[in-house]
Amino acid sequence: MQKWQQQQQKKRTCYPVFAFLISLCILASLLYNENITQIQEHMESSLSHTSSLNSEIWVSGNLNWSKACVSSRDYRLGGGRARVVSRVARRGKVRRECDVFSGKWVFDNDSYPLYDEGNCPYMSDQLACQKHGRRDLAYQKWRWQPNECNLKRWNAMEMLEKLRGKRLMFVGDSLNRGQWISLVCMLQSVIPAGKHSMTPNAALTIFKAEEYNATVEFYWAPLLVESNSDDPVNHRFNERIIRPNSVLKHASQWENADILVFNTYLWWRSGPKIKLLWHTEDEICEAADGFEAMKLALETWEDWVSSNVDPLKKRVFFVTMSPTHLLSQEWKPRSEGNCFQETTPINKEFYWGTGSDIATMQMVENVLSRLNSKVSVLNITQLSEYRKDGHPSIFRKFWETISPQMLSDPKSYADCIHWCLPGVPDVWNELLYNFL
């Protein structure tokens, strides 16, 4: 991460205000309209029914989010716990001999893709780009090659043995859900028919490999702490409210997992300020920008990990920010597009776009460094920055109606946030496999 900081000091580029505003609009629109992944077509009605039956679990006690935070005042910067990580402590950290996160993408038509999109019954329509009309399939065939070493090649049977008798749970937002679907597809392809199953249950969805007594689960908690966005279906609000000091509701779901993979990022970057509900009886909340609110939430999550995780019994991973590719002028000067019609990776070493925030990365690094051996970092940001070609763009199912005006300008509704499968998230899971 220190490399990134040095690299970014050399690359301070000003972009036109209108382009930046357009990118924010696209980001906000995609996040606002995000819905729960359609894992299987025949499961949709069951999932909706389950959600309605269990709607009360999305209320903390008797808290009615619609009546919380009647008014608000600005959050006092520094009101949270101020923490500093000394440079001496950072220098004392043990470094791996090989940095698996530094490298390049190599086209590999022999080994990739690791599974067939059409043969994975749990594929999401939000990520099934080939099914929805994408014809250039090269995005499925890139392998990540570290500079100074080789990754152990993916072996689904060995991964299943690593998971035997265990619960692996992904916790976070739709990007973490995409990584979960990726791993499910990577595993189910070697499991005999009838020996695997999927159980949808509102926020917690469970894939089970019967013969291994292993589960790979996804739990919806996009802000990690308790919030008004915790319903996996009904989470679209004009303003976001979090309880920055409350993680126990979610922790009750994830605390018994053997392997946890967390993420959070984009939900902090869209919309107006985030309201902080410190106590359920408060009528006046504080309003903080996304950075400050995220910092408070991560500190609460950090306290839970510090107090509850024994690294000899439980493995915890944190996935760094997944980059967006909303402004093509960042890799193609004087252009006015985004990821739409992009078919090849960026080949400029250390490329970094505005879709990834350095200040947020530094803040996350500070939090994770205090947890030492309790958390392993899956630093997917730089390697994913190169993959402007890996997003669904227009080749996905959109649950919202696309207007005729937008249809006439495809880049106006292109999804440059999520990732096609097979694709980039498969490599994230290969890294997870190497770390386990």
Side-chain angles (χ1 to χ4, degrees):
M1 198 166 299
Q2 291 176 348
K3 280 185 181 179
W4 294 348
Q5 298 167 20
Q6 296 168 358
Q7 294 151 11
Q8 297 315 300
Q9 290 173 358
K10 300 178 182 178
K11 296 186 281 186
R12 298 186 180 275
T13 305
C14 294
Y15 298 101
V17 174
F18 77 90
F20 181 66
L21 291 175
I22 289 174
S23 71
L24 287 181
C25 290
I26 295 173
L27 174 61
S29 174
L30 284 168
L31 290 178
Y32 180 84
N33 287 297
E34 180 186 63
N35 208 331
I36 191 167
T37 301
Q38 312 299 297
I39 299 171
Q40 290 175 290
E41 292 297 333
H42 70 276
M43 293 164 65
E44 292 179 0
S45 59
S46 173
L47 183 57
S48 176
H49 179 61
T50 305
S51 176
S52 63
L53 289 176
N54 294 290
S55 60
E56 289 186 1
I57 71 174
W58 303 113
V59 179
S60 175
N62 295 317
L63 176 61
N64 186 336
W65 287 104
S66 66
K67 295 182 179 179
C69 298
V70 175
S71 61
S72 63
R73 58 175 176 263
D74 284 345
Y75 169 68
R76 298 183 300 277
L77 295 180
R81 294 163 292 166
R83 301 181 177 185
V84 178
V85 179
S86 70
R87 295 189 178 187
V88 174
R90 289 189 187 184
R91 284 200 297 268
K93 290 170 67 177
V94 177
R95 295 188 177 184
R96 293 177 173 272
E97 292 183 2
C98 169
D99 180 5
V100 296
F101 307 115
S102 178
K104 61 183 178 181
W105 290 93
V106 177
F107 190 76
D108 187 341
N109 197 34
D110 296 324
S111 304
Y112 290 78
L114 298 174
Y115 55 91
D116 182 81
E117 174 196 299
N119 290 334
C120 180
Y122 310 114
M123 179 59 65
S124 163
D125 272 341
Q126 187 181 41
L127 311 174
C129 301
Q130 184 177 354
K131 174 182 176 181
H132 288 90
R134 185 162 181 175
R135 294 293 173 259
D136 59 296
L137 302 183
Y139 68 90
Q140 300 181 358
K141 301 176 182 180
W142 292 92
R143 170 171 54 84
W144 178 248
Q145 176 61 56
N147 286 329
E148 305 297 333
C149 57
N150 293 316
L151 283 175
K152 185 176 182 180
R153 290 299 183 95
W154 168 256
N155 185 313
M157 300 301 294
E158 183 176 345
M159 183 63 168
L160 285 166
E161 287 297 339
K162 291 175 184 285
L163 298 179
R164 184 180 289 277
K166 292 183 171 62
R167 291 179 65 192
L168 165 59
M169 184 185 294
F170 291 86
V171 178
D173 59 22
S174 61
L175 290 159
N176 223 23
R177 185 171 61 209
Q179 186 176 353
W180 165 71
I181 293 171
S182 161
L183 184 58
V184 167
C185 290
M186 292 166 75
L187 292 173
Q188 67 85 33
S189 61
V190 300
I191 302 174
K195 298 295 184 180
H196 55 81
S197 61
M198 184 74 80
T199 304
N201 184 24
L204 181 63
T205 310
I206 303 170
F207 169 81
K208 186 170 185 179
E210 309 287 349
E211 293 184 335
Y212 293 86
N213 189 30
T215 60
V216 181
E217 309 174 23
F218 173 72
Y219 179 68
W220 174 263
L223 300 164
L224 297 187
V225 293
E226 194 174 339
S227 78
N228 67 339
S229 299
D230 288 342
D231 188 306
V233 178
N234 301 312
H235 49 247
R236 297 178 292 177
F237 301 102
N238 292 328
E239 61 181 19
R240 298 215 168 104
I241 306 173
I242 67 168
R243 297 189 64 201
N245 55 352
S246 178
V247 75
L248 295 182
K249 184 189 80 171
H250 294 326
S252 68
Q253 297 291 322
W254 73 52
E255 62 186 354
N256 293 321
D258 301 285
I259 305 166
L260 285 163
V261 183
F262 291 95
N263 93 312
T264 187
Y265 173 52
L266 281 178
W267 279 65
W268 303 100
R269 286 173 61 86
S270 64
K273 287 188 174 183
I274 294 173
K275 291 186 175 180
L276 312 177
L277 179 64
W278 294 100
H279 305 285
T280 57
E281 66 272 14
D282 289 348
E283 291 187 358
I284 301 177
C285 296
E286 292 182 312
D289 64 31
F291 178 88
E292 288 293 334
M294 180 179 178
K295 180 173 181 291
L296 291 169
L298 280 179
E299 287 175 349
T300 298
W301 171 82
E302 173 196 352
D303 286 344
W304 183 88
V305 173
S306 180
S307 301
N308 294 278
V309 172
D310 178 352
L312 297 179
K313 298 179 180 180
K314 189 187 299 287
R315 293 294 305 275
V316 177
F317 294 87
F318 191 90
V319 182
T320 61
M321 61 181 67
S322 173
T324 60
H325 292 90
L326 300 171
L327 292 172
S328 62
Q329 60 180 286
E330 295 182 354
W331 61 84
K332 189 187 302 179
R334 294 180 296 280
S335 63
E336 297 181 356
N338 49 30
C339 70
F340 176 60
Q341 293 186 324
E342 294 291 346
T343 59
T344 57
I346 295 169
N347 58 17
K348 180 181 179 182
E349 189 175 13
F350 304 129
Y351 166 82
W352 195 276
T354 56
S356 299
D357 182 66
I358 291 295
T360 300
M361 289 291 286
Q362 293 171 335
M363 179 267 288
V364 170
E365 179 191 17
N366 288 344
V367 171
L368 296 178
S369 67
R370 294 192 291 267
L371 291 169
N372 297 316
S373 62
K374 289 180 180 287
V375 177
S376 299
V377 182
L378 289 182
N379 202 335
I380 58 95
T381 310
Q382 181 71 85
L383 65 91
S384 304
E385 280 279 11
Y386 302 129
R387 293 302 306 276
K388 60 181 172 60
D389 61 308
H391 299 285
S393 180
I394 65 172
F395 302 107
R396 51 158 285 192
K397 179 177 180 179
F398 290 89
W399 287 272
E400 67 275 17
T401 301
I402 307 299
S403 68
Q405 183 179 2
M406 294 177 70
L407 287 172
S408 66
D409 182 18
K411 67 178 182 295
S412 67
Y413 66 96
D415 181 351
C416 300
I417 293 175
H418 300 95
W419 301 93
C420 294
L421 292 180
V424 174
D426 303 334
V427 172
W428 304 349
N429 284 319
E430 287 185 276
L431 292 166
L432 176 64
Y433 164 70
N434 274 258
F435 272 74
L436 285 175

